[in-house]
């Protein structure tokens, strides 16, 4: 994965042909608190949220983050929405939201994505170049939305607001069911088929076989 503030790390930092996406790691305190406030869908009263650094709040290197600025400018004061900088009760806000906006940070990567799984809010990825992990093992369309950064406007609000209740509840259940893929705090048991450790090993194994099949890569023939 691409850490924020990696020197000179731009769109070319991640190459899907050779690089592996490793999920981010929320610390145990945040993991535990988010799990504690993960409400069932019928108890959630916020449509979506985003709280974090943005051009008007945080270090100077966020001043050119257009998508975070658009979130703040567009959705501040909108009914059923909570956006802004860091706030008290942030975990409770996530746990009471149907969706969590996941805008790019100082690179395409952001840990907001992985936190959303433990709070049980459906991630709405607003980072066009974000490479999500484990695409060969899980279907991201079942439990997330990837929306163009250029289209962060009230159209996004109305799209999320109009989602049928059955689909909303189904996607939330899928978020909870897939949280184990990003839970570094679990103990890997024999026969377990859902873990970030297992996912990373499977990706590396597939990558190794793909490299072995490249022309001229090791091996013998007609010997």
């Amino acid at each position: 994965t691409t850490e924020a503030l990696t020197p000179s790390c731009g769109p070319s930092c991640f190459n899907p042909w050779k690089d592996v996406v490793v999920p981010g790691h929320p610390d145990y305190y945040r993991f535990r608190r988010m799990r504690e406030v993960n409400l069932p869908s019928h108890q959630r009263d916020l449509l979506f949220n985003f709280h974090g650094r943005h051009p008007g709040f945080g270090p100077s290197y966020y001043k050119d983050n257009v998508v975070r600025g658009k979130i703040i400018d567009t959705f501040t004061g909108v009914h059923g929405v909570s956006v802004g900088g860091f706030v008290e009760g942030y975990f409770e806000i996530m746990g009471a939201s149907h969706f969590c906006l996941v805008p790019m940070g100082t690179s395409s990567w952001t840990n907001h994505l992985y936190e959303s799984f433990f709070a049980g809010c459906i991630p709405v990825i607003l980072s066009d170049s974000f490479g999500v992990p484990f695409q060969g093992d899980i279907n991201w369309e079942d439990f997330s939305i990837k929306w163009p950064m250029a289209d962060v406007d009230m159209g996004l609000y109305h799209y999320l607001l109009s989602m049928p209740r059955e689909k909303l509840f189904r996607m939330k259940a899928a978020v909870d069911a897939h949280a184990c893929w990003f839970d570094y705090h679990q103990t890997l048991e024999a026969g377990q088929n859902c873990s970030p450790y297992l996912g990373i090993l499977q990706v590396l194994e597939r990558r190794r076989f793909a490299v072995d099949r490249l022309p001229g890569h090791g091996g013998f023939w007609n010997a």
Side-chain angles (χ1 to χ4, degrees):
T1 191
T2 303
E3 276 290 350
L5 303 183
T6 301
S8 304
C9 187
S12 62
C13 189
F14 174 72
N15 186 327
W17 299 108
K18 64 179 180 63
D19 298 324
V20 170
V21 181
V22 176
H25 172 268
D27 63 66
Y28 182 72
Y29 170 76
R30 297 175 70 85
F31 161 80
R32 180 177 58 82
R33 286 289 294 119
M34 288 183 286
R35 276 285 177 85
E36 290 173 349
V37 297
N38 180 346
L39 297 177
S41 291
H42 68 273
Q43 293 183 16
R44 295 182 178 234
D45 55 8
L46 290 172
L47 181 62
F48 63 76
N49 80 86
F50 167 74
H51 286 278
R53 298 180 178 89
H54 58 80
F57 177 87
S60 60
Y61 45 77
Y62 277 88
K63 65 182 177 63
D64 295 324
N65 190 307
V66 175
V67 67
R68 293 192 179 205
K70 289 175 70 175
I71 289 172
I72 303 304
D73 293 343
T74 304
F75 302 122
T76 296
V78 173
H79 177 71
V81 169
S82 181
V83 298
F86 299 132
V87 293
E88 291 290 334
Y90 171 57
F91 299 136
E92 287 78 7
I93 290 172
M94 293 179 70
S97 300
H98 291 293
F99 300 93
C100 284
L101 302 189
V102 182
M104 66 175 293
T106 53
S107 70
S108 60
W109 180 88
T110 173
N111 216 34
H112 283 275
L113 174 61
Y114 307 110
E115 291 181 343
S116 68
F117 285 92
F118 305 118
C121 52
I122 301 164
V124 181
I125 302 170
L126 305 173
S127 178
D128 295 352
S129 299
F130 200 134
V132 293
F134 309 150
Q135 292 190 66
D137 299 296
I138 56 181
N139 184 8
W140 281 83
E141 294 182 9
D142 289 344
F143 51 81
S144 68
I145 296 167
K146 190 171 184 182
W147 190 269
M149 294 191 300
D151 295 338
V152 174
D153 52 31
M154 288 303 292
L156 172 59
Y157 173 84
H158 291 297
Y159 175 81
L160 299 178
L161 188 63
S162 66
M163 180 173 289
R165 182 182 178 90
E166 295 77 13
K167 181 177 181 180
L168 183 71
F169 284 23
R170 184 171 64 251
M171 291 186 74
K172 194 275 194 236
V175 167
D176 290 337
H178 287 82
C180 51
W181 284 100
F182 312 106
D183 179 4
Y184 286 98
H185 306 288
Q186 63 181 305
T187 301
L188 187 60
E189 305 288 347
Q192 187 173 340
N193 60 3
C194 180
S195 159
Y197 305 106
L198 176 65
I200 293 167
L201 289 173
Q202 290 178 163
V203 171
L204 291 173
E205 185 74 0
R206 286 195 292 268
R207 187 60 50 88
R208 183 180 71 83
F209 283 127
V211 170
D212 287 347
R213 290 195 296 269
L214 291 175
H217 182 79
F220 302 92
W221 56 89
N222 291 335

